[in-house]
């Protein structure tokens, strides 16, 4: 029988409390979730996870060990955060997003449905360090985009739907196409994301 360890803040609603603090290692620290969380059925949150206030999930999300998540974060249905990842505050990961180990996501970031990030430049062909991408503050990523390992998406940049990002994207730039090319950010896409409102 699997054991669980968790420490919850005030006013949390968990459809399946036994799925929070999944004990992957006897020495693991409890999962810590701040106030006013809403964790829906089928979601599993491992021990050794720290989450701030106002956390919300869809159904069947997964948050693996050694992940830190800030305040006001949404993790959509069927989204997987594979662990050893840092996620800032006011982040929205929509349905079916994949976040690999060793990824960094800043504050006020939007990642659209079925977007995929990767951390292995030579999948199972070479022995290399796994390093996921970095999404700086204010980044937006469109649906079905793919972001390759070690790529840095600069502050305020916008990755278009379906783009395949193979190289760093400068701040306040539009990445469009497969492979993605850089364009000036159109006026209609400039300005801050409004996830915190």
């Amino acid at each position: 029988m699997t054991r669980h360890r968790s420490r919850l803040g005030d006013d949390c609603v968990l459809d399946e409390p036994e799925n929070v603090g999944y004990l992957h290692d006897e020495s693991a620290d409890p999962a810590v979730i701040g106030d006013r969380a809403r964790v829906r059925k089928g979601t599993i949150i491992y021990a050794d996870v720290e989450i701030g206030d106002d956390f919300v999930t869809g159904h069947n999300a997964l948050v693996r060990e050694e992940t830190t998540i800030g305040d006001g974060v949404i993790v959509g249905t069927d989204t997987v955060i594979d662990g050893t990842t840092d996620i800032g505050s006011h982040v929205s990961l929509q349905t079916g997003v994949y976040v690999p180990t060793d990824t960094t996501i800043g504050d006020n970031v939007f990642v659209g449905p079925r977007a995929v990030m990767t951390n292995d430049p030579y999948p199972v062909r070479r022995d290399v360090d796994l390093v996921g991408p970095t999404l700086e503050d204010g980044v937006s990523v469109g649906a079905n985009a793919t972001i390759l390992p070690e790529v840095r998406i600069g502050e305020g940049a916008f990755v278009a739907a379906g783009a395949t990002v193979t190289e760093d994207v400068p701040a306040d730039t539009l990445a469009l196409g497969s492979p993605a090319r850089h364009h000036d950010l159109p006026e209609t896409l400039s300005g801050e994301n409004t996830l915190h409102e």
Side-chain angles (χ1 to χ4, degrees):
M1 183 169 165
T2 305
R3 294 179 44 227
H4 302 267
R5 288 187 192 148
S6 62
R7 193 164 61 241
L8 304 177
D10 296 331
D11 301 319
C12 292
V13 177
L14 285 66
D15 289 353
E16 297 174 321
E18 68 277 4
N19 284 355
V20 175
Y22 177 87
L23 194 58
H24 60 93
D25 184 315
E26 285 298 324
S27 65
D29 291 328
V32 177
I33 300 179
D35 297 339
R36 298 174 301 279
R38 176 67 173 101
V39 179
R40 291 188 169 83
K41 187 173 182 174
T43 293
I44 298 172
I45 299 171
Y46 276 51
D48 277 334
V49 169
E50 293 185 26
I51 299 173
D53 296 336
D54 302 305
F55 177 68
V56 177
T57 76
H59 297 277
N60 304 315
L62 175 64
V63 181
R64 298 243 351 230
E65 70 274 10
E66 298 180 29
T67 294
T68 60
I69 296 175
D71 296 329
V73 172
I74 298 169
V75 175
T77 295
D78 295 327
T79 288
V80 173
I81 302 168
D82 241 345
T84 321
T85 289
D86 294 314
I87 297 174
S89 293
H90 309 296
V91 172
S92 179
L93 305 175
Q94 295 291 293
T95 297
V97 169
Y98 178 69
V99 180
T101 57
D102 300 306
T103 295
T104 301
I105 298 175
D107 295 331
N108 206 30
V109 170
F110 174 86
V111 182
R114 306 290 176 202
V116 173
M117 297 169 230
T118 62
N119 66 357
D120 189 347
Y122 309 104
V124 301
R125 294 293 174 104
R126 296 187 189 172
D127 186 18
V128 296
D129 292 333
L130 302 179
V131 181
T134 297
L135 280 59
E136 294 184 358
D137 295 348
V139 165
S140 289
V141 178
N144 294 305
T146 300
I147 302 173
L148 296 188
E150 295 190 69
V151 167
R152 178 175 292 271
I153 310 295
E155 185 170 350
F158 195 104
V159 176
T164 302
V165 183
T166 61
E167 58 186 30
D168 292 354
V169 177
D172 300 312
T173 297
L174 172 63
L176 177 68
S178 183
R181 299 288 179 239
H182 300 162
H183 303 272
D184 291 338
L185 192 65
E187 185 64 32
T188 55
L189 297 178
S190 64
E192 293 185 3
N193 293 335
T194 56
L195 299 170
H196 59 281
E197 294 180 2

